[in-house]
DNA sequence: ATGTTTTTTGCAACATAGTTGCATTTTCTA
DNA sequence: TAGAAAATGCAACTATGTTGCAAAAAACAT
């Protein structure tokens, strides 16, 4: 039996069983410190990780409000919802097409209040793509 | 041999062969008047349309600057780049999760100039999701 | 702690989306 | 209208995402 971690607490508060799979998943997402993709998560958890279980758990953790998918179009980028940096206000995410990292750009925020009436807004995303500094300066 | 259309002209200007497939594709995109999805395009062109050829042509037409993919994450939404309504400035696109239509919301625009230096921006998108008026008021 | 119930996991099978290579057909050019 | 160049259609493949179910793990009550 493993020692209790903060992830046990987080899961218990949301009435989710503290399974090894969930603990490890949350640990990796929290460690990353930036939104992490499904594929990167898959690598960190071990390539033998079951794809279905990962999908189901990421969905469940999103539903519970523990993590957030900040780019739900493609294959998703996940981040702890209540981590160090506030991730509440809608801000820009920059995806590097070379290294696939997703950066939070807090300088650019969105204002959904100007959307015309009639539209029932459920979600709102600002997304930019290109290459990050590290990848741009590579030969 | 069919009569020449404006689409022949457009393609010739970009040094692309005026094939029946491209003419029909451009015609449907132009008719739609709003960004149209791959699946909708597939239906309009006939369900026997070759998927590979559609992918290759949409990509080619984007590369040539004739059309634009305003939502390149999921499966893409395509629009004529130089149609009636100017589609030059970055503005919000609203995708209805019920009817799958994509609406242009010109009231909300993006300003990429505030992205910190170091990031090499290639594309920039504002996307909202929810239900449109028509779908929201259905029982 | 032990047995019982409930939840989660892992697997197989399936579905959809997108890519690659190549032979055939169409379009362009002279 | 013949030859060269480009595009198309098809088969096969990879990647991504979903569903149902039996086995395993976790939670719960005693
Ligand atoms: Mn962020
Ligand atoms: Mn638009
Ligand atoms: Zn990068
Ligand atoms: Zn709708």
């Amino acid at each position: 039996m493993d020692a209790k971690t903060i992830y046990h607490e987080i899961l218990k508060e949301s009435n989710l069983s503290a399974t090894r799979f969930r603990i490890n998943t949350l640990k990796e997402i929290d460690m990353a410190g930036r939104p992490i993709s499904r594929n990167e998560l898959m690598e960190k958890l071990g390539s033998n990780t079951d794809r279905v279980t990962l999908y189901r758990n990421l969905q469940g953790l999103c539903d519970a409000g523990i993590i957030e998918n900040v780019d739900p179009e493609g294959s998703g980028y996940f981040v702890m919802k209540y981590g160090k940096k506030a991730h509440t206000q809608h801000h820009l995410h920059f995806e590097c097409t070379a290294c696939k990292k997703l950066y939070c750009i807090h300088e650019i925020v969105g204002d959904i209040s100007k959307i015309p009436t009639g539209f029932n807004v459920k979600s709102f995303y600002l997304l930019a793509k290109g290459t990050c500094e590290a990848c741009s300066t590579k030969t």
Side-chain angles (χ1 to χ4, degrees), chain A:
Chain A
M1 179 106 300
D2 292 335
K4 297 269 182 294
T5 66
I6 56 163
Y7 307 114
H8 284 83
E9 304 299 324
I10 293 172
L11 289 167
K12 183 153 276 182
E13 275 177 34
S14 293
N15 291 316
L16 290 179
S17 310
T19 67
R20 187 174 302 175
F21 200 107
R22 287 194 184 123
I23 304 289
N24 289 341
T25 302
L26 284 181
K27 201 180 294 182
E28 291 303 340
I29 293 174
D30 204 10
M31 294 295 200
R34 55 174 171 74
I36 186 175
S37 71
R38 274 204 181 92
N39 287 340
E40 200 176 346
L41 212 36
M42 199 76 170
E43 283 175 29
K44 304 257 189 201
L45 291 170
S47 55
N48 55 329
T49 302
D50 184 63
R51 226 170 61 257
V52 179
T53 306
L54 183 57
Y55 273 98
R56 284 198 272 229
N57 274 310
L58 288 174
Q59 186 59 54
L61 292 168
C62 283
D63 291 347
I66 296 171
I67 64 172
E68 187 186 357
N69 183 356
V70 297
D71 184 12
E73 295 291 278
S75 196
Y77 280 88
F78 302 87
V79 68
M80 296 294 287
K81 202 156 178 181
Y82 301 106
K84 292 168 190 172
K85 294 180 188 174
H87 211 268
T88 47
Q89 196 176 24
H90 291 116
H91 54 262
L92 179 72
H93 289 113
F94 182 96
E95 182 184 354
C96 176
T97 54
C99 68
K100 309 295 180 194
K101 285 202 187 79
L102 196 84
Y103 299 85
C104 295
I105 312 286
H106 293 270
E107 286 85 351
I108 298 186
V109 297
D111 175 18
I112 66 172
S113 68
K114 282 183 286 182
I115 295 180
T117 52
F119 292 100
N120 180 1
V121 183
K122 296 236 179 62
S123 52
F124 180 58
Y125 306 97
L126 292 102
L127 176 67
K129 293 193 175 199
T131 45
C132 69
E133 184 146 35
C135 290
S136 298
T137 54
K138 269 177 197 151
T139 45

